[in-house]
């Protein structure tokens, strides 16, 4: 198709350089595929699981993923006015938690303010409350960016259903090629998404680019369990139980087989830490949750 | 094949960002969140974009490409963009 060929022209030069650097063979779980095939397969996995994504997360992790995400939010400890970019944010779990968190911080701020206004008239207190009520998030904002249309659709519907609207926006974009300007965000998160990115180094560089100086990058992801006994149990659970759950709940064994394999192929804690440092982040650190089943990596842009 | 058809189809007036490409689009095009326009740039050149209300697209004048907004969500991947030196779909022009 002629329009396809024309369309690839402006991007062609950039793409060709990158593809040469990437090399032909990549992994999709335990299979070996080309870069292009991997992107396509991963897109299809999430297209297929999108509607059952949340249910599957609860079943597979016995609800513990909620705690992991809560811990991530507490680690972030955002104050009102924070601008957050949630990459691979699909169904909105991190975004909603962010909004809840800054709302409650904001509420406490307002209550403290009111307590100090003891000598004001009720009218003045009422007016001051009204003024601040329209700013219940304190100008905090979260942008959810995901490459998968189906995941974003589910996220947007959830937001409507749960009543989230203010301070929240949705963008279809690629973590490796973010459609955001430099030095814009206070925090950039990627929760259970970086494992599915084909060029992790590019995603990290992009995260660095869009962060303001002083900004923080937080990555929540499955990682490696070093304890041998626990590791054995974890393997058993992963390979025997999870794909079966996938088939029973989502009718999709293969996607969950991919999930489990992708976790095994993903770099361990120290390696990911080095990758963050390569991307330019400072004060890179990680925290293991549940003995390394999950880890939160953190880095700052100076 | 179907993928081929989809790309050409968009050129032939498949709709002013009403999401007809995905088959589940609402009747009227949804504009993007205004606060988003502060941060959004072209993913390729990282240069600013212009919001075109008529076609509900974000236009990179320099490269001559336009990113669609489908169901209120800007579609900021190069694969989704169209070339703007062709007539926009709203004018219903024919493209091979």
């Amino acid at each position: 198709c002629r329009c396809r060929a024309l369309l690839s022209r402006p991007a062609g030069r950039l793409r060709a350089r990158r593809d040469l650097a990437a090399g032909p063979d990549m992994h999709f779980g335990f299979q070996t595929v080309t870069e292009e095939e991997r992107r396509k397969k991963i897109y299809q996995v999430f297209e297929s699981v999108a509607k059952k994504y949340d249910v599957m997360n609860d079943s597979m992790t016995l609800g513990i993923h909620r705690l992991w995400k809560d811990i991530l939010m507490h680690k972030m400890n955002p104050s009102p006015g924070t601008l957050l970019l949630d990459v691979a944010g699909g169904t909105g779990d991190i975004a909603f938690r962010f909004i809840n968190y800054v709302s409650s911080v904001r509420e406490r701020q307002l209550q403290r303010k009111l307590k100090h206004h003891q000598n004001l008239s009720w009218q003045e207190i009422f007016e001051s409350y009204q003024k601040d009520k329209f700013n219940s998030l304190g100008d905090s904002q979260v942008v959810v960016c995901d490459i998968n249309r189906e995941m974003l659709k589910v996220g947007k519907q959830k937001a409507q259903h749960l009543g989230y609207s203010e301070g929240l926006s949705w963008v279809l974009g690629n973590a490796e090629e973010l459609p955001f300007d430099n030095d814009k965000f206070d925090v950039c998160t990627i929760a259970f998404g970086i494992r599915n990115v084909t060029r992790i180094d590019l995603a990290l560089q992009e995260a660095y680019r869009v962060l303001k100086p002083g900004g923080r990058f937080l990555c929540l992801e499955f990682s490696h369990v070093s304890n041998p006994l626990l590791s054995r149990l974890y393997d058993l659970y992963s390979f025997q139980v999870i794909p079966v759950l996938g088939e029973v709940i989502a009718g999709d064994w293969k996607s969950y087989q991919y999930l489990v394999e992708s976790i095994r192929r993903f770099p361990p804690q120290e390696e990911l830490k080095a990758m963050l440092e390569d991307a330019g982040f400072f004060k890179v650190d990680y925290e293991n949750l549940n003995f390394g089943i999950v880890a939160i990596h953190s880095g700052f842009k100076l | 094949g179907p993928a081929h058809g989809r790309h050409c189809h968009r050129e032939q007036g498949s709709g002013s960002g009403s999401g007809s490409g995905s088959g589940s689009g609402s009747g009227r095009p949804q504009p993007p969140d205004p606060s988003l326009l502060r941060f959004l740039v072209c993913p390729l050149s990282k240069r600013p974009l212009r919001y075109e209300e008529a076609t509900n697209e974000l236009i990179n004048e320099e490269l001559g490409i336009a990113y669609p907004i489908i169901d209120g969500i800007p579609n900021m991947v190069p694969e989704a963009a169209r070339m703007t030196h062709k007539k926009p779909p709203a004018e219903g022009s024919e493209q091979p």
Side-chain angles (χ1 to χ4, degrees):
Chain A
C1 173
R2 196 163 59 95
C3 50
R4 182 58 153 159
L6 285 170
L7 202 59
S8 65
R9 239 205 279 121
R13 264 182 299 123
L14 293 164
R15 287 209 182 289
R17 250 185 292 147
R18 274 220 308 274
D19 284 332
L20 281 173
D25 284 341
M26 307 223 82
H27 57 83
F28 175 77
F30 290 151
Q31 298 171 45
T32 302
V33 295
T34 63
E35 189 172 306
E36 203 42 56
E37 279 169 2
R38 187 176 193 270
R39 289 177 204 277
K40 197 169 129 206
K41 284 173 113 104
I42 290 175
Y43 192 92
Q44 286 167 347
V45 164
F46 284 92
E47 200 175 38
S48 160
V49 308
K51 295 204 172 76
K52 293 276 172 62
Y53 186 72
D54 291 342
V55 171
M56 274 307 298
N57 283 346
D58 276 334
S59 328
M60 290 190 304
T61 66
L62 308 170
I64 301 173
H65 74 102
R66 296 166 184 244
L67 284 175
W68 292 331
K69 289 164 182 166
D70 289 343
I71 292 172
L72 177 69
M73 199 46 53
H74 275 89
K75 198 175 171 89
M76 190 194 300
N77 190 21
S79 47
T82 298
L83 252 53
L84 169 65
L85 172 65
D86 184 30
V87 179
T91 57
D93 280 352
I94 301 300
F96 303 150
R97 278 172 172 76
F98 172 76
I99 292 175
N100 292 344
Y101 197 99
V102 294
S103 297
S104 62
V105 173
R106 178 74 177 149
E107 210 178 296
R108 263 177 281 139
Q109 268 180 354
L110 295 175
Q111 277 170 7
R112 274 198 300 265
K113 251 178 77 177
L114 286 177
K115 275 213 182 97
H116 287 121
H117 293 166
Q118 294 298 339
N119 51 353
L120 292 179
S121 70
W122 281 115
Q123 180 64 26
E124 286 165 304
I125 294 175
F126 176 76
E127 277 166 0
S128 112
Y129 187 83
Q130 284 290 66
K131 196 164 26 96
D132 290 321
K133 211 164 99 135
F134 293 117
N135 196 2
S136 60
L137 287 185
D139 296 321
S140 316
Q141 248 191 296
V142 50
V143 178
V144 179
C145 181
D146 200 290
I147 199 168
N148 194 293
R149 170 157 298 284
E150 290 305 310
M151 293 290 279
L152 285 170
K153 245 168 82 175
V154 170
K156 231 181 155 204
Q157 281 167 6
K158 253 170 80 177
Q160 254 178 352
H161 191 63
L162 297 169
Y164 293 99
S165 58
E166 204 189 315
L168 172 64
S169 40
W170 309 84
V171 175
L172 195 150
N174 186 342
E176 299 171 9
E177 208 165 31
L178 290 174
F180 304 108
D181 206 359
N182 304 352
D183 308 315
K184 282 279 177 282
F185 294 96
D186 296 306
V187 187
C188 177
T189 47
I190 181 164
F192 301 115
I194 204 165
R195 189 180 80 251
N196 303 306
V197 169
T198 301
R199 288 287 303 275
I200 296 175
D201 56 332
L202 294 180
L204 293 174
Q205 284 169 34
E206 280 291 89
Y208 189 88
R209 180 181 65 77
V210 303
L211 279 171
K212 290 180 191 165
R216 187 179 199 182
F217 174 72
L218 286 163
C219 170
L220 173 67
E221 188 54 84
F222 290 109
S223 198
H224 284 240
V225 175
S226 44
N227 177 301
L229 173 62
L230 212 58
S231 177
R232 197 97 58 84
L233 290 171
Y234 181 40
D235 279 349
L236 212 75
Y237 181 73
S238 297
F239 288 100
Q240 307 298 338
V241 176
I242 290 180
V244 176
L245 278 178
E247 183 56 39
V248 166
I249 297 178
D252 190 347
W253 171 292
K254 279 167 69 177
S255 292
Y256 288 92
Q257 181 74 20
Y258 160 72
L259 166 75
V260 171
E261 291 175 1
S262 69
I263 294 174
R264 293 297 175 291
R265 294 299 298 253
F266 188 70
Q269 287 85 332
E270 282 293 324
E271 208 178 303
L272 186 59
K273 176 172 179 221
M275 291 174 85
L276 259 78
E277 285 164 346
D278 285 343
F281 288 105
F282 280 85
K283 218 175 154 272
V284 178
D285 206 1
Y286 63 84
E287 183 188 334
N288 278 336
L289 303 179
N290 292 121
F291 301 102
I293 291 180
V294 156
I296 298 179
H297 280 71
S298 163
F300 291 86
K301 173 173 178 171
L302 287 196
Chain B
H4 174 93
R6 211 185 319 132
H7 284 293
C8 293
H9 184 57
R10 205 177 279 128
E11 304 287 337
Q12 291 166 14
S14 61
S16 40
S18 62
S20 54
S22 54
S24 64
S26 47
R28 248 166 297 129
Q30 291 179 43
D33 201 306
S35 59
L36 254 187
L37 301 177
R38 281 198 284 147
F39 312 120
L40 281 181
V41 294
C42 172
L44 293 170
S45 65
K46 313 300 186 195
R47 306 282 288 137
L49 299 162
R50 179 177 63 81
Y51 174 59
E52 176 55 64
E53 202 176 325
T55 53
N56 204 31
E57 290 173 322
L58 290 159
I59 315 236
N60 179 337
E61 302 280 16
E62 281 177 338
L63 290 181
I65 52 180
Y67 297 92
I69 296 165
I70 301 177
D71 295 334
I73 299 177
N75 216 339
M76 309 303 299
V77 285
E79 297 77 40
R82 67 168 186 92
M83 309 290 284
T84 53
H85 65 258
K86 293 190 159 63
K87 286 233 168 85
E91 291 172 15
S93 60
E94 287 286 320
Q95 289 294 337

